[in-house]
C-alpha cells in the first residue's frame, strides 16, 4: 500500500479558498446546535482538518460535504455536553457571540440565534436541534437534511415538525430589534439609577432573571421569578453599577450590554421581550463565556492549522 503524495501548495490554497467560503455557515450550524462559541470553533477546526485529509477531487459538492461534517460533529459534541454540564453551578446560558459583522452568522435567516431561543433549543435532543436548525435557519431541503443526518425522509419531516411544535409551545413572539433596543436601554438606565418602579413597569408579571456564573459569588444560583424580585435583584448591588462602564454590543442578532469594571469586561446582559414587556433577563458572569464573546469578534481563518500527514479522514 503506497502513501498518498502530500498535497501541493496550490491544492492547499484551493482547499483554504473553498473552506473560507463556507466557514461562517459551518460555525453558524455548530453554534446553534451547541450554544457554545468555543465548542463551535472546535467543530469548525475539526472540519478543516478533515477537509484537508479528504480526497477533494471526488467530492461533488464541497458545501454539502462540509455542512454534513459540521452537523454530525456538532451532534456528537452535543450528546456529551449534557453530562459535562452536570457539575455546572446555577443556571446555564448559551455563550453570547458578536454579530456586528454577520448578524445572521452565516445563515440565510436569523432563526435560532437569539439567546432566549437557543436556551429553548437545549430542551430538544441534539438530532432534533440539528434538523430544526438546518431547516429553519439554513433553508436546507428535507432530502438534504435526511442525507446529512443519515435518516429517512419521513423521519426527518417528523423530527422537524415535532421540534417546531415544542418550540411554539415554549417560545413567545419577540418584539422587533428597535423595540428590543429601547427596552434594553430603559432597563439598563433604570437599573443603574436604582429606579425599581421604572424597572417593574418594563417587566411582565412572570418575568425571570437567569444568572450564569458557575459559582461566581455575585451570580444568583437559582432563577429569580416575578416582576418585583427581578427588579429588586437588578438594583440590589449599588456597587455593581456604581463604577462600571456599559457598552452596547451586537450579540446574537440583537442588542446586549457588556459591563466593564476597572476597564475590563466582567458581565454581559441582555433581555428577551414580547409586546407586553421584558419576560427574561439574562446575565452572563462566567469569565470563560465573556472571553468567548470577545474572541467571537475576531473569528477569522488565521486559526486554521495544517493537518498531520498520514491520517485518514472521517465524518
Amino acid at each position: 500500500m503506497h502513501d498518498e503524495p502530500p498535497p501541493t501548495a496550490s491544492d492547499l490554497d484551493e482547499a483554504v479558498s473553498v473552506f473560507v467560503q463556507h466557514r461562517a455557515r459551518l460555525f453558524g450550524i455548530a453554534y446553534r446546535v451547541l450554544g457554545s462559541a468555543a465548542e463551535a470553533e472546535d467543530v469548525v477546526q475539526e472540519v478543516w482538518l478533515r477537509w484537508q485529509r479528504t480526497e477533494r477531487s471526488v467530492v461533488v459538492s464541497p458545501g454539502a460535504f462540509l455542512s454534513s461534517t459540521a452537523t454530525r460533529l456538532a451532534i456528537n459534541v452535543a450528546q456529551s455536553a449534557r453530562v459535562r454540564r452536570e457539575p455546572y453551578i446555577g443556571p446555564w446560558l448559551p455563550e453570547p457571540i458578536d454579530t456586528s459583522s454577520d448578524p445572521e452568522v452565516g445563515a440565510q435567516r436569523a432563526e435560532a440565534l437569539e439567546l432566549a431561543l437557543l436556551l429553548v433549543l437545549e430542551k430538544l435532543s441534539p438530532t432534533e436541534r440539528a434538523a430544526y436548525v438546518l431547516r429553519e435557519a439554513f433553508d436546507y431541503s428535507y432530502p438534504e437534511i435526511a442525507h446529512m443526518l443519515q435518516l429517512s425522509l419521513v423521519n426527518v419531516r417528523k423530527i422537524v415538525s415535532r421540534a417546531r411544535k415544542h418550540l411554539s409551545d415554549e417560545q413567545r413572539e419577540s418584539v422587533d430589534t428597535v423595540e428590543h433596543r429601547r427596552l434594553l436601554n430603559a432597563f439598563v438606565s433604570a437599573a443603574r439609577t436604582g429606579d425599581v418602579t421604572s424597572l417593574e413597569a418594563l417587566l411582565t408579571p412572570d418575568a425571570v432573571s437567569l444568572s450564569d456564573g458557575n459559582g461566581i459569588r455575585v451570580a444568583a444560583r437559582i432563577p429569580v421569578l416575578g416582576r418585583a424580585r427581578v427588579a429588586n435583584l437588578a438594583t440590589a448591588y449599588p456597587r455593581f453599577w456604581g463604577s462600571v462602564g456599559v457598552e452596547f454590543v451586537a450579540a446574537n442578532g440583537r442588542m446586549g450590554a457588556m459591563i466593564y469594571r476597572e476597564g475590563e469586561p466582567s458581565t454581559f446582559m441582555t433581555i428577551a421581550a414580547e409586546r407586553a414587556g421584558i419576560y427574561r433577563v439574562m446575565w452572563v458572569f462566567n469569565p470563560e463565556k465573556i472571553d468567548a464573546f470577545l474572541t467571537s469578534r475576531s473569528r477569522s481563518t488565521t486559526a486554521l492549522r495544517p493537518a498531520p500527514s498520514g491520517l485518514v479522514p472521517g465524518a
Side-chain angles (χ1 to χ4, degrees):
M1 185 173 181
H2 300 287
D3 291 335
E4 291 184 6
T8 65
S10 61
D11 287 338
L12 284 177
D13 286 345
E14 184 180 356
V16 170
S17 178
V18 171
F19 188 83
V20 168
Q21 180 184 348
H22 297 282
R23 194 182 200 280
R25 170 166 290 219
L26 304 180
F27 177 86
I29 291 170
Y31 173 70
R32 285 167 171 84
V33 173
L34 295 167
S36 165
E39 290 175 348
E41 286 289 3
D42 288 343
V43 166
V44 171
Q45 183 65 56
E46 180 61 25
V47 176
W48 163 241
L49 297 177
R50 295 187 183 203
W51 178 235
Q52 288 180 86
R53 303 172 200 144
T54 296
E55 180 53 59
R56 294 182 294 277
S57 62
V58 301
V59 175
V60 176
S61 172
F65 174 88
L66 293 169
S67 295
S68 295
T69 305
T71 301
R72 293 172 195 169
L73 287 170
I75 289 173
N76 290 342
V77 174
Q79 287 170 338
S80 63
R82 193 177 301 275
V83 174
R84 287 185 281 107
R85 290 171 188 163
E86 282 179 358
Y88 205 85
I89 301 172
W92 178 93
L93 291 172
E95 290 175 0
I97 57 171
D98 184 281
T99 52
S100 55
S101 60
D102 181 0
E104 298 180 351
V105 191
Q108 293 182 232
R109 299 191 296 271
E111 272 81 354
L113 187 58
E114 292 180 42
L115 288 187
L117 182 52
L118 287 173
L119 192 58
V120 176
L121 278 176
E122 282 289 314
K123 298 181 180 182
L124 304 178
S125 72
T127 299
E128 287 175 329
R129 223 176 298 161
Y132 177 85
V133 163
L134 291 171
R135 180 62 183 163
E136 298 300 322
F138 294 89
D139 204 27
Y140 283 104
S141 68
Y142 287 109
E144 288 173 320
I145 298 170
H147 176 74
M148 288 181 180
L149 301 182
Q150 299 180 328
L151 297 170
S152 72
L153 183 58
V154 171
N155 201 6
V156 166
R157 288 184 182 276
K158 287 181 179 178
I159 288 172
V160 173
S161 176
R162 189 163 59 240
R164 281 175 178 158
K165 183 179 185 309
H166 185 85
L167 293 176
S168 67
D169 291 341
E170 293 271 349
Q171 188 68 4
R172 308 190 192 190
E173 186 174 351
S174 297
V175 296
D176 62 27
T177 54
V178 174
E179 178 65 2
H180 183 274
R181 176 159 191 166
R182 185 192 73 78
L183 289 168
L184 178 65
N185 268 299
F187 183 95
V188 171
S189 178
R192 294 186 78 173
T193 57
D195 188 347
V196 175
T197 301
S198 293
L199 277 176
E200 289 190 13
L202 295 170
L203 299 164
T204 62
D206 62 345
V208 58
S209 177
L210 300 173
S211 300
D212 181 324
N214 196 20
I216 288 179
R217 185 169 57 87
V218 296
R221 298 193 178 189
I222 59 173
V224 176
L225 307 175
R227 173 185 281 155
R229 289 188 178 91
V230 172
N232 285 325
L233 176 71
T235 58
Y237 307 108
R239 287 192 220 168
F240 178 82
W241 292 108
S243 59
V244 302
V246 178
E247 176 192 9
F248 288 99
V249 295
N252 294 72
R254 293 280 181 154
M255 201 58 63
M258 184 64 74
I259 299 167
Y260 289 77
R261 189 173 300 283
E262 297 180 355
E264 296 296 325
S266 64
T267 308
F268 170 87
M269 68 84 57
T270 191
I271 60 169
E274 60 184 359
R275 191 174 299 177
I278 298 169
Y279 65 87
R280 185 170 293 146
V281 182
M282 293 164 282
W283 306 82
V284 177
F285 296 93
N286 188 329
E288 293 180 358
K289 295 187 177 184
I290 299 298
D291 288 344
F293 177 84
L294 299 176
T295 300
S296 73
R297 288 182 156 181
S298 56
R299 279 198 311 274
S300 71
T301 58
T302 56
L304 300 181
R305 300 189 300 266
S309 61
L311 296 180
V312 179

